[in-house]
Amino acid sequence: MASPLLPRVSVSNAAVGNTISFSSSLSNGLSWRRSTAFPDKSRRKVSTVQAKIREIFMPALSSTMTEGKIVSWIKSEGDVLSKGESVVVVESDKADMDVETFYDGILAAIVVGDGEVAPVGAPIGILAETEDEIAEAKAKASKSGSSAPPPPPPPPPPPPAVVPPKSAASAPVSDVPKKIVATPYAKTLAKQHKVDIGSVVGTGPFGRITSADVEAAAGISPSKSSGVNVVSRAAAAPAPVAAAAPKAAASPAPPPIPGSTVVPFTTMQAAVSKNMVESLSVPTFRVGYPVLTDKLDALYEKVKPKGVTMTALLAKAAAMALAQHPVVNATCKDGKSFTYNSSINIAVAVAINGGLITPVLQDADKLDLYLLSQKWKELLEKARAKQLQPHEYNTGTFTLSNLGMFGVDRFDAILPPGQGAIMAVGASKPTVVTDKDGFFSVKSKMLVNVTADHRIIYGADLAAFLQTFAKIVENPESLTL
């Protein structure tokens, strides 16, 4: 991207009459057309002015990314770069990704060093076209790195306060009659002491005439009741401040426990935290269902030597069930409508060092079991190396979370923003069950709990989906077709 400090020149060669349009801070959008009456050979040769120094910006590597952290610079200052060559590794909120350059040139200066954070769109490096521009690029980098943001403009002076007594005093000067505002007791006192209430200056709120004002105009000492009113008004004034004091005292965070250590969120942890908070605004409900897994376990032992994982089996079963119940694969984002997704993309929650990510098995219902397992292994390796591309983790339409491998028998999962449902899979354990004839037997059974968006998915929808999922798992021959 060209530096905004340099003008941009665009050249348009038409078939009839060459038109040159200059767009910069000096041209003001003016255009010149070559006159056919006065041909000028010098105008036939049009040269394009190109920026010599360009900035490398912090890219937006995902839709939720607001800032990025420089993991490491692949290139050093002074290295010659080619278009499409990786320059720097950036940690987004989901993965570490190589950032490429769009231009040929020389990496003249690094503005944001390793381990530092910059907002999306901020310059992180300076690219010079030739060696002659390196010195100028370095000066630009030092200027952008050392320049602090301009201080905010000083607040405008507050308007002069209007003092009620003065406005009330100036009222008699005006020829326009003004409504007299007085308390009922003040009017009664004015009648008793024969005081013209129109000549009394009120000291109450908005110039209201009080009993104390009438007594002062009559030249008598304030009564006990009026004194009580004055004191009560004076005492009532600081009440809001006193009432606000407990709130102000409750706002500071409690002091840390002695010996504790405060650890800031990583970029990924901050993204997970943001998504979890957003999920609280979605009305959800949960439905659990028991599933017998004896035949699924037998199938797994048969296909395991071929590289098939249990995660792939469960993802395939969920995708086949979603194909029969598309509303569970739908999405509601604005609270006013919902979308039936044409693709069934199963996101699988994976715990990695320093966070959580959900690689996506795209079109899981259309891939055979073996290809799905191979794709899952590739995604898992990229996830652990933090090398997933954005489309490989943010395109899920249904999420699968499996803690059964840790021996967890049941749990509830939090619905990810932008999806309709998430399935929590528990461990398969031997359980005593009874058949329709009342005979007891021991079979392997797992519990699955689904959390769904109640705005688009209702209890009957989720129950029907779980019944279909259970039938597929309990008769898994269709998974290998």
Side-chain angles (χ1 to χ4, degrees), residues 322 328-331 341 343-347 395-399 419-421:
L322 288 171
V328 184
N329 193 54
T331 300
N341 295 303
S343 300
I344 298 177
N345 301 333
I346 305 296
T395 56
T397 59
F398 181 90
T399 298
Q419 294 186 18

Side-chain angles (χ1 to χ4, degrees), residues 242-255:
K247 293 184 179 180
S251 58

Side-chain angles (χ1 to χ4, degrees), residues 242-262:
K247 293 184 179 180
S251 58
I257 300 175
S260 61
T261 303
V262 178

Side-chain angles (χ1 to χ4, degrees), residues 55-67:
E55 294 175 325
I56 302 174
F57 296 102
M58 174 65 73
L61 303 179
S62 70
S63 58
T64 58
M65 178 177 171
T66 58
E67 61 180 19

Side-chain angles (χ1 to χ4, degrees), residues 288-308:
Y289 202 90
V291 182
L292 299 179
T293 62
D294 292 276
K295 293 183 179 180
L296 181 68
D297 295 337
L299 175 63
Y300 175 60
E301 293 300 328
K302 185 185 299 184
V303 298
K304 183 178 179 181
K306 300 180 182 180
V308 177

